Amino acid sequence: MNPSGILARSKESLQNEFLRAAVRFTQDRLRNKKQAVTSEFGHWEEWRERGRQIREHTVSHLDYYLQQFADKVRQTGGQVYFAVDGDEASRIALEIAKKHRAKRIVKSKSMVSEEVHLNRHLQEAGMEVVETDLGEYIVQLAEELPSHIIIPAIHKNRQQIKDLFTAAGGEHLTTDTKDLTAFARRTMREKFSQADVGITGCNFGIANTGSVVLFTNEGNADMVTNLPPVHIVMMGMERLLPTLADLEVFANLLPRSATGQSVITYMSMITGPRQVQERDGAKELHVIIVDNGRSRQLGDAHFQEILHCIRCGACLNVCPVYRQIGGHSYGSVYPGPIGAVLTPLLHPGPEYADLPYASSLCGACWEACPVKIPLHHMLVSLRARSVAAGYNPPVEKLIFKAYGAIFARPGRYRFAFSVARFGQQPLVHDGTISARLGPLTGWTAHRDAPSLAEVPFRQRWQTLQQELGHPPADPADDKATNSASKDARGAQQNSDVRMQKQQGDVGHE
Ligand code: SF4
């Protein structure tokens, strides 16, 4: 496991009260809005199922649809490139920009470009790169990663934004939202009008038309794709839909799941570069299709479904772990449950092997997901993969071996717990253990651990049986548990009442 991994980063986030309040506020707001718009829409489960089926079909036939999409883009005058990894994707974009002697590049929101560190590559070549999505612009000025897929600057307050804008623009601003957005608008207009290249992501590529579909709420993608003479699209290889009819399903699923909107504010569809008879659009269209670890998931029974993701962020908005630690703790451009699965899949190895442990496995992400990706199952499979690869500390293996050995034999179990019951005595106060417990300190530092009951459950059970007039089970006999269980089933109704009376005045084992 990575010693400077999510645990270390989470400790920092847990101290940040503003971040935690902002995440809670945003989660609640988006979740409530989603609940309202999906109820009003009706038949939400059927829409989800339809979405799942379309994504399953597309990803299962990805080779076919990729070829069809690439052919259509070329037929409509665009150019297509396939990039095996992030470096190749950035290199292709850089070469296109260099060919046009680009000095200034404007971008609309693109998670893939973040994933491949495109900005860094372009900036190192001396180009100015400006993010034009407001949240992304704030994060860029702060030199940070986005902390939410849909709301990248969720962790910033108005004072911090004001300071960033003031430093960037050299003019005095107030913390008034109107003042801040007016500054961003003024700045962006100038950048748009002077840009040599525009770069966007791609929410969906339509295979049978070669169209690139972009969803935004700020309209900045329209400026990015129309004002500069060159438009570069960077898209993950899985972002395809077979037809425009399929887009209808996702035009309903995506905004409702992402921001609780019944319809997205701007949906732009770009099919080829500007034609002679057209008045807008870039003169050149370049589409870079990025693999970067995605094709490794194809055919994998556990993980292929991760390619169904439409990056709506709904799983973040329900995750109890993300709620506490925010996005930066994940150390990846993809935070939350989707990040805990996708990041180690795209970057196998020890660096992100701890991310799948940042989950309670409650399954809320799966319930929220508009295309029903079983993220909680994938998290478990990734944990197994991490153990098999030897990324977990050796002591963890020993602990689980000891745990297995003790729980495999009732005699060992009884002996171990009688020793533990005796050993815990100096640590117990008011029925709980609040002392720091070596490797378990992470647990006891923030909450009390219940102490072991003074009288174990098995013994209480036997006493109860005797009180009920049933023959006592022989504690030395391993078969006693089964026999007691059989007797218990017979006396279930009576014992339930008596057990409830006894609970509450003893600890738990
Ligand atoms: S995993 Fe599902 S809920 Fe999460 S971002 Fe992807 S599509 Fe949305």
Side-chain angles (χ1 to χ4, degrees), residues 166-185:
T166 301
E171 54 181 293
H172 182 69
L173 298 168
T174 68
T175 54
D176 185 60
T177 308
K178 276 189 193 157
D179 203 16
L180 296 174
T181 49
F183 167 80
R185 199 174 297 121

Side-chain angles (χ1 to χ4, degrees), residues 45-114:
E45 288 309 311
E46 282 92 330
W47 281 96
R48 279 181 83 206
E49 179 54 23
R50 185 70 193 123
R52 189 198 66 75
Q53 288 171 0
I54 293 170
R55 293 302 293 144
E56 183 180 52
H57 169 82
T58 312
V59 170
S60 303
H61 302 85
L62 199 54
D63 52 346
Y64 172 81
Y65 287 118
L66 274 172
Q67 189 62 55
Q68 188 184 31
F69 177 73
D71 290 346
K72 287 289 172 185
V73 172
R74 289 182 183 121
Q75 282 168 24
T76 52
Q79 296 180 51
V80 180
Y81 313 79
F82 286 92
V84 172
D85 56 25
D87 281 348
E88 189 176 6
S90 293
R91 203 178 59 243
I92 294 167
L94 183 59
E95 278 167 13
I96 298 167
K98 273 185 177 168
K99 196 174 136 205
H100 292 84
R101 299 179 200 282
K103 289 193 174 67
R104 177 171 285 165
I105 294 171
V106 284
K107 284 180 69 204
S108 81
K109 195 163 176 297
S110 159
M111 296 305 289
V112 182
S113 73
E114 298 259 7

Side-chain angles (χ1 to χ4, degrees), residues 149 306 308-316 338 365 368-373 375:
I149 289 180
I306 200 65
H308 298 184
C309 177
I310 58 171
R311 306 285 190 273
C312 69
C315 51
L316 278 69
I338 177 62
C365 45
C369 178
V371 288
K372 299 185 179 181
I373 300 174
L375 291 167

